[in-house]
Amino acid sequence: MSLRILVGCKRAIDYAVKIQVKSDFSGVVTEGVKHALNPFDEIAMEEAVRLKEKKLASEVIAVSCGPTQAQDVLRTALALGADKAIHVEIPAKEYETLQPIHVSKILAKLAEKEKADMVIVGKQAIDDDCNQTGQMTAAVLSWPQATFASKLDVKPAEKEVTCEREIDGGLETIKVKLPAVVTADLRLNTPRYATLPNIMKAKKKPLAKLTPKDLGVDVTPRQEVVRVEEPPKRQGGGKVASAQELVERKQMSFKIQSNFERKATFSESLNVNNLNQNMDQTLKNDRLIESLRVLVKEYLEIHCYDTALFWADKICVFEKDSIKDLYVFIHCLFCCGQYQRALNIIKERDLNRKNILFRYVAAKCHMASKEYEQALEVLNWEEHNASDKVLINAFENAVNFTLNGRNIEAALNLLRGQIHEALGCSDAAVECYKSALHGDVFCYEALHALTSNQMLTSKDENQLIQNLPIDIQCDQKQAEIVKYLYSTKLSRPNKQISSYEQNTECQQYFKENLDILINKAERLHYEGDLKESYNICRKVLEKDQFHKSCIPLYVSTLVHLNKVTQLFEIAHSLVKQYPQDAVSWFAVGCYYFLIGNMDPARKFFLKATCLNRSFSPAWLALGHSFAQESEHDQATSAYFTAAQIMKGSYMPFLYIGLEYTLSNNFKLAERFYQQALNVEWDDPFVLLELGVIWYKSQNYQNAEIVMRRAYNILKNISNKNISIEWEPLLNNLGHVCRKLKKYQDSLDFHRKALALQPTSSSTWTSIGLTNIFLNKFDEAIEYFHQALWYKKTDLVAKKLLDKCLNLVKDHSTVMTMDEFQLDIKDIMLTKQNQQQNQKQPKSKLIEANLKAFSTDYSMSESMSYAPLNRTDESAMDLAAADDGDSIINP
Ligand code: AMP
């Protein structure tokens, strides 16, 4: 008679993983954690296979109860020698509450169904440490049990098993009758490794699927886990009689410790005396190698990469064929920055062709060496060589390790995206980043890449987040957090995304989190509230001086708010600390820009683009520095480059439009503004600029429509009052309404502007002007006085005041509009001449304004607004906006 043996194969957290208790103490963290066949089950399986090899058993059946991934361990069991496998599928949610009693009942049912003579399970699962399943299975079946077996002598003919068990202080030998349940202890055998041919064969072995229901087993939980906690830290201490004893103890504890690391919870079952007897006497033994592996892992953790590399290399001396150890060695090389050496080893052994992880590392090495084309070639290798897929799969299974359970495809897509971005292929990069996020919703880097460089329009960003499989890949709590965090990252969330943000628990937890504060600052910046944005940036940088995501935004607000000294300080320390970072040189460029020194500004912006070609703020700023000196062609070309990178941003188009406006090419300007609106259909900046060119073309009706649209949008997006930066829009609306003879509206808008900026002489003058058109000369005179109170040199106010006073004095009748316009031209030309004679004009910004005045006062200085960017970059747009003023006056 030969036996049919059923072996329990639990998918447990890998022994090498440091177990972490969940923050809510409900269990241990399993998501994203590497799993493997429970080590005691490997021993159980080895024993069963050995019995079969001795012809004492006829069939070995591996059983695993668990979610779909349990099939991985069944394939391992089949590769180790099982004849067939049964997967009892338990959905992930139910599996969390599956208890030994349920597994026992399932095993018992299967033992009956499969007519098994023996059930071998591990003595315990190293994740829950229950040590119950074997015993309970015996009870359910009413079979005898031989637990903690360290030696088995099976006699099928006599229907008898003799079992040696390790007990405190010695060994116990028992005999049980078959059928019986056996639980395997550590020293029952040393399990084999799966060979490549066996892995191949395992793929063809039968794997049946059942559910507990098929077996009539109810898996409703009967226990509730109240709390899971880490054990208290162990306290050391104790006296030794001599130095010799100390050395001996140290040696012993090292051996025990390395064993402990290998089979996480084995320590209880270790008997030091037995261990000594069983120690392999040769230099190369499992314990030595395991201890070295632990060493390498620890050195990597404490960033002693060279030491880790040294020992990883030595492990490879012992384990010449171990792909896993070779991978660790190459990982160490990568950490040490020895990219070419790593590549040579991978190529020499053709590893990148055989395993996806090696392809990944190889591509990373190429990427780090800026060999982008080669990196892409390595990553795309698989697609071009599909015929070798069988070999690859076999090899990958043989290696049977992944990035600690994380989705390697997502990591590959992220890397592909980064390479495409570095090569300037934004469209391809966007697709790869999107795939990375879909494959792994936790892959924040992909989201950051998409949003920080504005690769997607705000509509597409919203859609992306909405369509992410967050609920599928995350449990409920994680999903809430992911949704909340990602929604705060969007500058213009739609209704649904906004609802994610309303999670009060998350708001409470993360309210002081710096990333969240930065997102808030970015949104404020986007909405034009620069002061508040700046305040938040300061708060963040006070806590974390070099917070990477905050710095570009901070630099931008400094430029907008004209804070030269602070800009100098941050640029200085950035260059000192991070000379290789594009943002450092961008900050330096911004400083020179702000003090009006365009040559060095350009030099540093260019340097930033050389360090990171995809750093769009530097391209925009470069464009502004050219625009500042009327180098329209160069400016436009820099903006075009930015447009290639920031596919989802309206800004480059807006600036190109401004350049065309400056060169009086309104048709082209309008085309680019329209293009900007195609990207962001309701952007107030673009609408305002479009309004300006329509105003310039004397199409006041259209100008009014778009400017009012901008105004309404602003009212909607900012719950609070419109920020001071939008004062020009209000004044422009005042001017447009006056042109359309809607004097009351005109006054309303100017007054709103005044509420934001009460000291603006030009607004006071504008109100005075509208009053003239209303024949209210006395009021007008008062307003001009007020304007002159704030700015004594306001020539426009002065001349208008003189004119009004004369009119009142002469009791003349109402002047005609034409007369008035002529007067204004006259006044402004005087002003222009005066200014031009001044030695140091503040570049053409003043000239532009003067020109604006000289032809038509109505669009006055108030147009010198700064088109703001939504994130960090174009700190320079102040200047571009000033240039934008010249739009008013061809
Ligand atoms: P435990 O009683 O949980 O410590 O587990 C003891 C042994 O029961 C394990 O070593 C496995 O052999 C078996 N076992 C426990 N859970 C499962 C499971 N979900 N699927 C298959 N076997 C299991």
mmCIF file of all heavy atoms in Angstrom, residues 124-152:
data_model
loop_
_atom_site.group_PDB
_atom_site.id
_atom_site.type_symbol
_atom_site.label_atom_id
_atom_site.label_comp_id
_atom_site.label_asym_id
_atom_site.label_seq_id
_atom_site.Cartn_x
_atom_site.Cartn_y
_atom_site.Cartn_z
ATOM 1 N N GLN A 124 3.285 25.517 12.366
ATOM 2 C CA GLN A 124 2.586 26.780 12.536
ATOM 3 C C GLN A 124 2.825 27.664 11.315
ATOM 4 O O GLN A 124 3.808 27.470 10.588
ATOM 5 C CB GLN A 124 3.042 27.518 13.796
ATOM 6 C CG GLN A 124 4.428 28.105 13.710
ATOM 7 C CD GLN A 124 4.947 28.491 15.074
ATOM 8 O OE1 GLN A 124 5.423 27.640 15.827
ATOM 9 N NE2 GLN A 124 4.876 29.752 15.395
ATOM 10 N N ALA A 125 1.893 28.578 11.123
ATOM 11 C CA ALA A 125 2.073 29.548 10.038
ATOM 12 C C ALA A 125 2.828 30.722 10.637
ATOM 13 O O ALA A 125 2.493 31.185 11.724
ATOM 14 C CB ALA A 125 0.711 29.991 9.523
ATOM 15 N N ILE A 126 3.859 31.202 9.919
ATOM 16 C CA ILE A 126 4.712 32.220 10.568
ATOM 17 C C ILE A 126 4.061 33.598 10.581
ATOM 18 O O ILE A 126 4.610 34.533 11.132
ATOM 19 C CB ILE A 126 6.123 32.299 9.931
ATOM 20 C CG1 ILE A 126 6.025 32.725 8.461
ATOM 21 C CG2 ILE A 126 6.890 31.014 10.088
ATOM 22 C CD1 ILE A 126 7.355 33.225 7.920
ATOM 23 N N ASP A 127 2.872 33.718 9.988
ATOM 24 C CA ASP A 127 2.215 35.033 10.090
ATOM 25 C C ASP A 127 1.309 35.122 11.324
ATOM 26 O O ASP A 127 1.428 36.011 12.145
ATOM 27 C CB ASP A 127 1.435 35.384 8.818
ATOM 28 C CG ASP A 127 0.543 34.264 8.328
ATOM 29 O OD1 ASP A 127 0.441 33.242 9.024
ATOM 30 O OD2 ASP A 127 -0.064 34.416 7.249
ATOM 31 N N ASP A 128 0.408 34.107 11.491
ATOM 32 C CA ASP A 128 -0.479 34.221 12.653
ATOM 33 C C ASP A 128 0.031 33.435 13.863
ATOM 34 O O ASP A 128 -0.464 33.592 14.975
ATOM 35 C CB ASP A 128 -1.905 33.783 12.306
ATOM 36 C CG ASP A 128 -1.982 32.361 11.780
ATOM 37 O OD1 ASP A 128 -1.024 31.599 12.023
ATOM 38 O OD2 ASP A 128 -2.981 32.012 11.142
ATOM 39 N N ASP A 129 1.048 32.546 13.606
ATOM 40 C CA ASP A 129 1.634 31.771 14.714
ATOM 41 C C ASP A 129 0.585 31.006 15.519
ATOM 42 O O ASP A 129 0.736 30.825 16.729
ATOM 43 C CB ASP A 129 2.374 32.726 15.675
ATOM 44 C CG ASP A 129 3.800 32.930 15.232
ATOM 45 O OD1 ASP A 129 4.245 32.182 14.354
ATOM 46 O OD2 ASP A 129 4.455 33.845 15.756
ATOM 47 N N CYS A 130 -0.488 30.549 14.881
ATOM 48 C CA CYS A 130 -1.576 29.937 15.640
ATOM 49 C C CYS A 130 -1.204 28.569 16.213
ATOM 50 O O CYS A 130 -1.535 28.252 17.345
ATOM 51 C CB CYS A 130 -2.806 29.791 14.760
ATOM 52 S SG CYS A 130 -3.701 31.322 14.642
ATOM 53 N N ASN A 131 -0.542 27.754 15.374
ATOM 54 C CA ASN A 131 -0.198 26.398 15.806
ATOM 55 C C ASN A 131 -1.471 25.641 16.227
ATOM 56 O O ASN A 131 -1.552 25.074 17.306
ATOM 57 C CB ASN A 131 0.835 26.497 16.939
ATOM 58 C CG ASN A 131 1.232 25.143 17.497
ATOM 59 O OD1 ASN A 131 0.899 24.107 16.905
ATOM 60 N ND2 ASN A 131 1.919 25.131 18.616
ATOM 61 N N GLN A 132 -2.468 25.691 15.369
ATOM 62 C CA GLN A 132 -3.744 25.055 15.703
ATOM 63 C C GLN A 132 -4.273 24.153 14.603
ATOM 64 O O GLN A 132 -4.994 23.194 14.865
ATOM 65 C CB GLN A 132 -4.817 26.138 15.953
ATOM 66 C CG GLN A 132 -4.566 26.990 17.160
ATOM 67 C CD GLN A 132 -5.517 28.180 17.222
ATOM 68 O OE1 GLN A 132 -6.421 28.301 16.411
ATOM 69 N NE2 GLN A 132 -5.301 29.045 18.174
ATOM 70 N N THR A 133 -3.948 24.514 13.370
ATOM 71 C CA THR A 133 -4.640 23.863 12.253
ATOM 72 C C THR A 133 -4.461 22.347 12.252
ATOM 73 O O THR A 133 -5.430 21.595 12.078
ATOM 74 C CB THR A 133 -4.161 24.476 10.927
ATOM 75 O OG1 THR A 133 -4.274 25.887 11.050
ATOM 76 C CG2 THR A 133 -4.982 24.001 9.756
ATOM 77 N N GLY A 134 -3.199 21.899 12.443
ATOM 78 C CA GLY A 134 -2.942 20.458 12.426
ATOM 79 C C GLY A 134 -3.778 19.748 13.481
ATOM 80 O O GLY A 134 -4.511 18.781 13.195
ATOM 81 N N GLN A 135 -3.719 20.250 14.694
ATOM 82 C CA GLN A 135 -4.426 19.627 15.811
ATOM 83 C C GLN A 135 -5.932 19.593 15.556
ATOM 84 O O GLN A 135 -6.603 18.585 15.785
ATOM 85 C CB GLN A 135 -4.138 20.399 17.111
ATOM 86 C CG GLN A 135 -2.689 20.358 17.574
ATOM 87 C CD GLN A 135 -1.817 21.440 16.927
ATOM 88 O OE1 GLN A 135 -2.066 21.850 15.798
ATOM 89 N NE2 GLN A 135 -0.763 21.838 17.623
ATOM 90 N N MET A 136 -6.457 20.710 15.073
ATOM 91 C CA MET A 136 -7.905 20.768 14.843
ATOM 92 C C MET A 136 -8.326 19.845 13.703
ATOM 93 O O MET A 136 -9.392 19.238 13.756
ATOM 94 C CB MET A 136 -8.321 22.195 14.518
ATOM 95 C CG MET A 136 -8.333 23.105 15.721
ATOM 96 S SD MET A 136 -9.037 24.653 15.219
ATOM 97 C CE MET A 136 -8.908 25.603 16.695
ATOM 98 N N THR A 137 -7.483 19.748 12.687
ATOM 99 C CA THR A 137 -7.816 18.867 11.564
ATOM 100 C C THR A 137 -7.952 17.428 12.070
ATOM 101 O O THR A 137 -8.878 16.696 11.702
ATOM 102 C CB THR A 137 -6.722 18.941 10.468
ATOM 103 O OG1 THR A 137 -6.471 20.304 10.191
ATOM 104 C CG2 THR A 137 -7.135 18.228 9.199
ATOM 105 N N ALA A 138 -6.989 17.034 12.918
ATOM 106 C CA ALA A 138 -7.046 15.683 13.483
ATOM 107 C C ALA A 138 -8.351 15.490 14.248
ATOM 108 O O ALA A 138 -9.020 14.455 14.137
ATOM 109 C CB ALA A 138 -5.852 15.456 14.397
ATOM 110 N N ALA A 139 -8.720 16.538 15.004
ATOM 111 C CA ALA A 139 -9.940 16.432 15.800
ATOM 112 C C ALA A 139 -11.167 16.303 14.900
ATOM 113 O O ALA A 139 -12.039 15.466 15.134
ATOM 114 C CB ALA A 139 -10.062 17.645 16.707
ATOM 115 N N VAL A 140 -11.214 17.148 13.862
ATOM 116 C CA VAL A 140 -12.387 17.107 12.971
ATOM 117 C C VAL A 140 -12.502 15.733 12.310
ATOM 118 O O VAL A 140 -13.589 15.170 12.175
ATOM 119 C CB VAL A 140 -12.288 18.222 11.899
ATOM 120 C CG1 VAL A 140 -13.453 18.124 10.919
ATOM 121 C CG2 VAL A 140 -12.275 19.584 12.556
ATOM 122 N N LEU A 141 -11.324 15.162 11.936
ATOM 123 C CA LEU A 141 -11.340 13.875 11.240
ATOM 124 C C LEU A 141 -11.406 12.680 12.197
ATOM 125 O O LEU A 141 -11.562 11.543 11.768
ATOM 126 C CB LEU A 141 -10.069 13.730 10.385
ATOM 127 C CG LEU A 141 -10.015 14.574 9.107
ATOM 128 C CD1 LEU A 141 -8.590 14.637 8.589
ATOM 129 C CD2 LEU A 141 -10.925 13.973 8.047
ATOM 130 N N SER A 142 -11.209 12.987 13.460
ATOM 131 C CA SER A 142 -11.046 11.933 14.481
ATOM 132 C C SER A 142 -9.886 11.007 14.123
ATOM 133 O O SER A 142 -9.986 9.785 14.200
ATOM 134 C CB SER A 142 -12.325 11.101 14.630
ATOM 135 O OG SER A 142 -13.361 11.872 15.095
ATOM 136 N N TRP A 143 -8.800 11.605 13.678
ATOM 137 C CA TRP A 143 -7.582 10.855 13.367
ATOM 138 C C TRP A 143 -6.563 11.101 14.477
ATOM 139 O O TRP A 143 -6.595 12.155 15.125
ATOM 140 C CB TRP A 143 -6.965 11.343 12.056
ATOM 141 C CG TRP A 143 -7.706 10.946 10.801
ATOM 142 C CD1 TRP A 143 -8.893 10.281 10.704
ATOM 143 C CD2 TRP A 143 -7.285 11.243 9.471
ATOM 144 N NE1 TRP A 143 -9.252 10.128 9.389
ATOM 145 C CE2 TRP A 143 -8.276 10.707 8.599
ATOM 146 C CE3 TRP A 143 -6.183 11.877 8.899
ATOM 147 C CZ2 TRP A 143 -8.190 10.794 7.211
ATOM 148 C CZ3 TRP A 143 -6.111 11.966 7.511
ATOM 149 C CH2 TRP A 143 -7.087 11.435 6.683
ATOM 150 N N PRO A 144 -5.605 10.213 14.640
ATOM 151 C CA PRO A 144 -4.521 10.500 15.580
ATOM 152 C C PRO A 144 -3.616 11.593 15.023
ATOM 153 O O PRO A 144 -3.609 11.837 13.810
ATOM 154 C CB PRO A 144 -3.782 9.172 15.700
ATOM 155 C CG PRO A 144 -4.208 8.374 14.522
ATOM 156 C CD PRO A 144 -5.539 8.870 14.062
ATOM 157 N N GLN A 145 -2.852 12.226 15.889
ATOM 158 C CA GLN A 145 -1.964 13.294 15.413
ATOM 159 C C GLN A 145 -0.544 13.126 15.957
ATOM 160 O O GLN A 145 -0.349 12.660 17.078
ATOM 161 C CB GLN A 145 -2.497 14.654 15.819
ATOM 162 C CG GLN A 145 -2.790 14.777 17.308
ATOM 163 C CD GLN A 145 -3.359 16.139 17.663
ATOM 164 O OE1 GLN A 145 -2.652 17.121 17.546
ATOM 165 N NE2 GLN A 145 -4.599 16.168 18.101
ATOM 166 N N ALA A 146 0.406 13.482 15.100
ATOM 167 C CA ALA A 146 1.811 13.483 15.532
ATOM 168 C C ALA A 146 2.324 14.880 15.255
ATOM 169 O O ALA A 146 2.630 15.220 14.117
ATOM 170 C CB ALA A 146 2.602 12.458 14.738
ATOM 171 N N THR A 147 2.380 15.695 16.321
ATOM 172 C CA THR A 147 2.732 17.105 16.092
ATOM 173 C C THR A 147 4.216 17.362 16.341
ATOM 174 O O THR A 147 4.895 16.586 17.001
ATOM 175 C CB THR A 147 1.901 18.005 17.025
ATOM 176 O OG1 THR A 147 2.079 17.535 18.353
ATOM 177 C CG2 THR A 147 0.430 17.972 16.670
ATOM 178 N N PHE A 148 4.707 18.441 15.789
ATOM 179 C CA PHE A 148 6.116 18.874 15.901
ATOM 180 C C PHE A 148 7.092 17.765 15.495
ATOM 181 O O PHE A 148 8.081 17.519 16.181
ATOM 182 C CB PHE A 148 6.461 19.323 17.332
ATOM 183 C CG PHE A 148 5.488 20.303 17.914
ATOM 184 C CD1 PHE A 148 4.981 20.143 19.187
ATOM 185 C CD2 PHE A 148 5.080 21.396 17.162
ATOM 186 C CE1 PHE A 148 4.084 21.051 19.709
ATOM 187 C CE2 PHE A 148 4.175 22.304 17.682
ATOM 188 C CZ PHE A 148 3.669 22.133 18.958
ATOM 189 N N ALA A 149 6.813 17.122 14.391
ATOM 190 C CA ALA A 149 7.656 15.993 13.970
ATOM 191 C C ALA A 149 9.019 16.490 13.524
ATOM 192 O O ALA A 149 9.116 17.383 12.694
ATOM 193 C CB ALA A 149 6.967 15.258 12.833
ATOM 194 N N SER A 150 10.092 15.910 14.129
ATOM 195 C CA SER A 150 11.425 16.255 13.646
ATOM 196 C C SER A 150 12.048 15.048 12.938
ATOM 197 O O SER A 150 13.130 15.141 12.363
ATOM 198 C CB SER A 150 12.319 16.723 14.797
ATOM 199 O OG SER A 150 12.387 15.729 15.777
ATOM 200 N N LYS A 151 11.339 13.916 12.991
ATOM 201 C CA LYS A 151 11.791 12.738 12.229
ATOM 202 C C LYS A 151 10.572 11.832 12.042
ATOM 203 O O LYS A 151 9.776 11.656 12.977
ATOM 204 C CB LYS A 151 12.870 11.996 13.012
ATOM 205 C CG LYS A 151 13.614 10.991 12.184
ATOM 206 C CD LYS A 151 14.820 10.496 12.962
ATOM 207 C CE LYS A 151 15.406 9.292 12.275
ATOM 208 N NZ LYS A 151 16.291 8.556 13.148
ATOM 209 N N LEU A 152 10.426 11.286 10.844
ATOM 210 C CA LEU A 152 9.255 10.428 10.585
ATOM 211 C C LEU A 152 9.711 9.089 10.031
ATOM 212 O O LEU A 152 10.617 9.035 9.192
ATOM 213 C CB LEU A 152 8.350 11.066 9.525
ATOM 214 C CG LEU A 152 7.322 12.123 9.943
ATOM 215 C CD1 LEU A 152 6.443 12.458 8.747
ATOM 216 C CD2 LEU A 152 6.464 11.649 11.098
#
